[in-house]
Amino acid sequence: MEDENGSTKAPLIEDDAGLDPRAAAELLASTKHRAQRQFDVWPPYLLFIGSALFLFCYGAVWWSVRHQHPYVGPTGGALAILYGSVVAWIVVVVAVISRANYGVRGASKRRRAFRSGYLIVIVGYSAYQGALYHAHASHAIVYGIFPASIVWLFAGTAFVTIGAIREELPPVLLGGALIALGVASAFTGPVIGWLVSGIGLALVLAGFGATRIVMRRA
Amino acid sequence: MATLASLPEGDSLSFTRLQEMIELSAGNLITHLRRLEDAEYLETEKSGNGAASRTQVILTAQGREALDNYAASLRNLIEGL
């Protein structure tokens, strides 16, 4: 076998014949854990940063609409914070995924690439929001209830579908929780709905991060 | 093998990334990979020619099973100590 540099001959590392079982087991476990961390496309730190970031930006939107009577929608500044945060989050997530996937080929990478198809859904929902506006729906619906809650219905539906395809209960339960959050956000109205969404998203991301830490240690 | 086993089944890893992750010299890694390939624990796939050539390494089902058995044997040994 030849490597990229054309090197074919090199000294062989000594066999670990004298390694005791405990040391061998520790080496095996630490190698596996280190590899899992390096391949992880959703490292806990990223989820905790996302949790704080979305709590902040949804909080900013809620802050901008909290005293509106009648409701007109988030201010330009609040929307700039929200969309800026979403874009920054996407950039960071793409960078982390690219780094984790560097050198990896195969089915799981292809599956992850297909998930970028979710962007189509996001564009579709934005277009739908335009249709609501075009149909003269109230500002409370177009700029409040719909954008604050629909993302949860979408994400929840996606997770339930993934769980159903894989026959795995955790994604189905997570999906159910997200749909419940979307409904709760819608019921609380266009003002509180933003806050409910922000807190809900922060809790989901932080919970996901904590779960991954526990799973790593298991 | 433990590094490759951390990937989902069917995924392969480039020689370069594997070398970076386990911090072995190219020569040492090649020697180990050759031995494991002879034992049918992993397969390598080379694409391209010359300086642009790329080698992908993939753990076989047999290799994954052997690693699991090895880990189980170590656990039994430790419990017996």
Side-chain angles (χ1 to χ4, degrees):
Chain A
M1 190 186 314
E2 208 173 289
D3 72 349
E4 281 84 338
N5 302 321
S7 168
T8 53
K9 286 179 193 271
L12 173 65
I13 280 185
E14 290 300 320
D15 284 342
D16 49 3
L19 203 59
D20 83 273
R22 207 165 265 127
E26 279 172 13
L27 181 64
L28 189 62
S30 67
T31 304
K32 201 163 185 176
H33 284 153
R34 196 174 54 186
Q36 283 170 343
R37 273 202 304 276
Q38 292 183 14
F39 289 134
D40 194 356
V41 293
W42 290 110
Y45 75 85
L46 183 66
L47 296 164
F48 291 132
I49 290 171
S51 172
L53 181 73
F54 284 108
L55 184 60
F56 168 71
C57 65
Y58 271 86
V61 174
W62 166 75
W63 189 262
S64 77
V65 298
R66 73 193 191 287
H67 294 313
Q68 288 183 1
H69 300 289
Y71 186 90
V72 288
T75 60
L79 285 177
I81 290 173
L82 178 64
Y83 290 129
S85 299
V86 170
V87 169
W89 172 251
I90 289 171
V91 168
V92 172
V93 167
V94 167
V96 169
I97 290 175
S98 301
R99 196 176 64 177
N101 278 339
Y102 159 62
V104 177
R105 275 191 209 159
S108 63
K109 195 175 177 183
R110 283 197 299 276
R111 275 198 297 271
R112 282 194 282 272
F114 268 99
R115 283 178 204 158
S116 60
Y118 289 143
L119 285 172
I120 299 167
V121 181
I122 293 169
V123 171
Y125 277 126
S126 299
Y128 193 93
Q129 192 178 7
L132 288 174
Y133 176 80
H134 186 70
H136 306 295
S138 70
H139 281 202
I141 297 289
V142 180
Y143 301 120
I145 291 172
F146 180 82
S149 63
I150 199 68
V151 63
W152 303 116
L153 297 180
F154 155 65
T157 306
F159 274 106
V160 169
T161 308
I162 290 166
I165 291 168
R166 293 186 183 169
E167 298 178 9
E168 290 174 0
L169 191 57
V172 174
L173 293 176
L174 177 61
L178 290 172
I179 290 171
L181 177 61
V183 173
S185 170
F187 265 111
T188 49
V191 176
I192 303 294
W194 288 105
L195 197 57
V196 169
S197 284
I199 292 170
L201 181 53
L203 288 176
V204 167
L205 289 175
F208 191 22
T211 306
R212 293 190 71 82
I213 288 175
V214 171
M215 283 169 69
R216 273 182 182 182
R217 288 179 181 166
Chain B
M1 280 178 73
T3 300
L4 292 170
S6 302
L7 284 171
E9 225 167 317
D11 278 9
S12 66
L13 188 64
S14 72
F15 180 93
T16 313
R17 175 92 193 268
L18 181 60
Q19 190 192 346
E20 279 173 19
M21 288 178 76
I22 59 178
E23 297 172 352
L24 274 184
S25 71
N28 271 327
L29 181 56
I30 287 168
T31 310
H32 281 284
L33 293 182
R34 194 179 291 141
R35 280 185 174 187
L36 293 169
E37 199 174 8
D38 289 344
E40 298 183 351
Y41 287 168
L42 55 84
E43 290 168 357
T44 56
E45 191 179 283
K46 197 170 177 181
S47 60
N49 291 308
S53 70
R54 291 282 178 273
T55 302
Q56 289 291 126
V57 186
I58 184 168
L59 194 65
T60 62
Q62 200 176 325
R64 202 172 280 271
E65 194 184 335
L67 184 67
D68 289 343
N69 290 338
Y70 176 63
S73 303
L74 284 175
R75 274 196 300 274
N76 289 338
L77 270 173
I78 292 166
E79 282 166 14
L81 286 177

